[in-house]
Amino acid sequence: MQFPAPPPDTCVMYLVRHGATAHNLAHPPRIQGWRSNPPLSEQGLAQAEATGRLLESLAVARIVASPLLRARQTADAIARPHGLAVEIVDSLHEGDVGDWEGMSWAEIERAHPQAYRNFLDDPGQHPYLGGETMTQVIERTSPAFEQLLADHPGQNVIVVAHNIVNRAYLAHLLKLPMKYVRDIPQSNCGVNVLHGRAGKISAVTINLGIHLP
């Protein structure tokens, strides 16, 4: 796929969610935050390779990833055609889901009904039980996103992060109330396109998935 070159005053960021792990593919899926560090599944590896093929025609200035294995494996597959080393940015690790690590949403609702309802009502103020709020995720990750976009006018950068991280930052850019954050689709290896120009950041494309097997 051919992508246009960025305007000289605009940085284009391709923000990718990592490929699928066993928890993502479970029925029902299980929540995984920064405390779990599984590898990609076979399907996840195929998704990462497909994303690498989608983005191989880009002229890329930098490829950045969360320190978690699933993000690094995805970024490595994307970086391979470009001959670039993947840079690790620690602050882009997945959200802290606290006591809900490894649980399904149905299990959470049964085990912690009040905390579950509070979280659904306003995850910007109410955390994953024992973990982060969406507001805290935004505060942790925004500086890295903003710095990358400011540093590379006229260039493309690729960032591989996570479901919670991507959704929270996209909701922030779209000025959505945080109670709607879970309505933002983020498929495994879905690609979001962000533009940074003159200090203003906008979400142009959300969850592109035409390349996925």
Side-chain angles (χ1 to χ4, degrees):
M1 185 170 177
Q2 294 297 316
F3 295 88
D9 62 350
T10 302
C11 175
V12 179
M13 176 183 289
Y14 294 83
L15 174 61
V16 183
R17 185 187 177 192
H18 63 79
T21 67
H23 270 10
N24 298 140
L25 298 175
H27 297 288
R30 296 191 169 274
I31 297 177
Q32 57 187 3
W34 78 271
R35 304 182 193 208
S36 61
N37 198 23
L40 295 180
S41 65
E42 184 175 340
Q43 182 174 331
L45 290 168
Q47 291 167 337
E49 294 290 340
T51 309
R53 291 191 295 272
L54 174 75
L55 301 176
E56 66 184 350
S57 67
L58 284 178
V60 180
R62 295 170 72 183
I63 299 177
V64 168
S66 150
L68 295 176
L69 179 59
R70 53 195 183 271
R72 290 189 286 112
Q73 287 182 302
T74 304
D76 285 342
I78 295 170
R80 200 170 298 123
H82 302 280
L84 292 175
V86 175
E87 302 175 47
I88 301 303
V89 175
D90 287 340
S91 63
L92 296 180
H93 68 72
E94 181 58 305
D96 184 358
V97 301
D99 298 345
W100 295 346
E101 188 81 56
M103 297 176 71
S104 71
W105 284 109
E107 289 170 342
I108 290 164
E109 184 178 13
R110 288 194 298 270
H112 307 285
Q114 188 60 56
Y116 171 81
R117 286 192 294 271
N118 290 344
F119 177 81
L120 292 187
D121 287 344
D122 188 358
Q125 296 300 317
H126 297 287
Y128 292 91
L129 186 63
E132 289 180 300
T133 66
M134 291 294 177
T135 300
Q136 289 171 324
V137 173
I138 293 166
E139 291 171 347
R140 168 168 58 81
T141 58
S142 289
F145 289 130
E146 291 167 4
Q147 193 65 58
L148 282 165
L149 287 158
D151 286 349
H152 296 284
Q155 296 179 306
N156 298 303
V157 297
I158 298 172
V159 179
V160 181
H162 300 269
N163 187 37
I164 296 168
V165 168
N166 293 6
R167 282 175 160 176
Y169 190 59
L170 289 167
H172 169 67
L173 293 181
L174 295 169
K175 297 180 171 57
L176 290 175
M178 284 296 119
K179 67 179 179 179
Y180 298 121
V181 70
R182 293 179 68 222
D183 294 330
I184 297 174
Q186 285 297 284
S187 304
N188 289 112
C189 278
V191 179
N192 309 284
V193 182
L194 312 181
H195 285 184
R197 177 178 177 271
K200 182 178 179 181
I201 303 169
S202 56
V204 177
T205 302
I206 293 177
N207 202 39
L208 177 69
I210 59 172
H211 58 295
L212 295 175

